[in-house]
Amino acid sequence: MVNKKGTRAVNPGKRTRLPAAERRAQILAVARDLFVTQGFEQASMRRIADAAGITPTAIYDHFADKEALLTAIAADFFDGLVAAMTMPPDAATDPLGLLRQLMINYVRYGLAHPNEYRLVFMTSLSRFVPTLGHRGLPCSGVVPEEVAQKTVKAMQSFGILQTGIERLVAAGLLRGDDPEGFADSVWAMGHGIVSLIITKGDSNFTPIDRWIDTSIGILMEGMRPR
Amino acid sequence: MVNKKGTRAVNPGKRTRLPAAERRAQILAVARDLFVTQGFEQASMRRIADAAGITPTAIYDHFADKEALLTAIAADFFDGLVAAMTMPPDAATDPLGLLRQLMINYVRYGLAHPNEYRLVFMTSLSRFVPTLGHRGLPCSGVVPEEVAQKTVKAMQSFGILQTGIERLVAAGLLRGDDPEGFADSVWAMGHGIVSLIITKGDSNFTPIDRWIDTSIGILMEGMRPR
DNA sequence: CACCTAACCTAACATCGATAAGTTTACGGT
DNA sequence: ACCGTAAACTTATCGATGTTAGGTTAGGTG
């Protein structure tokens, strides 16, 4: 019960040991919970370890660092986002309603996973600091592999929106001015709502449901053929 | 040169002393620079102090904590934003054009100051963490005084947009459905564009000028009386 | 000159993410 | 049944962070 250095185990002999896969999954579950309830910064490795019933260093046997925890969670986030934006085939009968539902699902899913959303869509990772371009705009330097992969994933969900809009344009249900610009603008609107609420809270804005309704109304009306 | 405890001053006798106002301004300038070039987290109090030629604790004679530095910087940013969104009186002759110009100026100012914009509109302060509401949506808890003040400042620039829209509604140039929701949505669109470009770079999107044009077109058309 | 306060300092605390190196448990081969 | 080995987990520690308590020094006033 007492080791070579004379120190004492926290819970001698009673500690549960788990196979790697299970422990990994458990750590991930605990970390997700703490990230969501306390935020990324507040949820320290020590607190995560405590909640998992192990010591902080044990986490590093399963994940490279704290960021890897969030990255793993983000992967799940993207899968969920794509799933939330993938419509059943019978939805094609009401194409405009589909676009409407697409945006609703995007916003709701984003607000349901604020910390993952922030990581994925609102932060360039800490060691990937923006440098200023010639017009004061950030220009990407060397992009780490994982960030690049993440971008690909993001483009997948964006692609769903884009093809949806192109289909509506082809069907004559939307103006054909600038389909690409339409998709970007719809995304900007959805992203604007989500990110504003995430950073500022929802108390200072139009109630969410009405906000979504109004914004979608503007978009639909604004993109309709005249 | 050697004090009671036997320790030694870093730069004995040569340290420059400044009156509070000057030192405060200098710290602020240095902090802004470091926040902008390295990000909020990476720019530590020790590094800021080094750059200012003082010790970290001296900062606390001028600012309550690290967050107060950011708050002060944000105030300047907001002043500039309000200025950029304050229109000459003769612009009232073309109210719709004014709204258009309002959004253009917002986006351009945001893109011209990407790092301050990120600090102010895309970073929620660490101890003001969103807690989850009954539907998994973030709801604001107790809001600290300074955050509230910052919100007030933000609301000032937002107020310009809001009253502008209200005036257009009153003049019958926009629908009267939900003026508040209109203002929020216009802001969301502008913020979405700015924040997406800031985090993802401008290379993956519709060229900025066209994007702004298209989005404003959608907004105008979408809010017009039918 | 003495003194007082503004301006600044040293030393330290608690906590953070992360690493090195040690210890214990479980299990497979013999 | 034994035993070795690798997986699972630990202790101890590092350097860095924001922040505080309490001391020191310089510049101006009486």
Side-chain angles (χ1 to χ4, degrees), chain B residues 191-209:
Chain B
H191 171 72
I193 293 175
V194 174
S195 62
L196 278 178
I197 290 181
I198 286 179
T199 58
K200 298 292 174 190
D202 59 352
S203 55
N204 300 312
F205 300 109
T206 305
I208 300 180
D209 292 315

Side-chain angles (χ1 to χ4, degrees), chain A residues 175 177-190 215 217-224 226, chain B residues 99-108 111 174 182 185-194 196-197 205-224:
Chain A
R175 285 205 315 276
D177 302 17
D178 181 9
E180 193 195 335
F182 277 12
D184 283 353
S185 296
V186 171
W187 189 18
M189 180 76 93
S215 63
I218 294 174
L219 288 175
M220 294 306 214
E221 197 67 23
M223 296 189 299
R224 222 180 42 175
R226 352 187 182 219
Chain B
L99 179 57
R100 186 180 210 89
Q101 196 61 44
L102 221 54
M103 174 146 165
I104 291 177
N105 288 7
Y106 178 93
V107 172
R108 302 220 86 90
L111 291 177
L174 294 184
F182 277 13
S185 296
V186 171
W187 190 17
M189 180 77 94
H191 171 72
I193 293 175
V194 174
L196 278 178
I197 290 181
F205 300 109
T206 305
I208 300 180
D209 292 315
R210 183 153 56 90
W211 195 358
I212 296 179
D213 253 36
T214 298
S215 62
I216 291 183
I218 294 174
L219 288 175
M220 293 307 214
E221 198 66 25
M223 297 189 298
R224 222 179 43 174

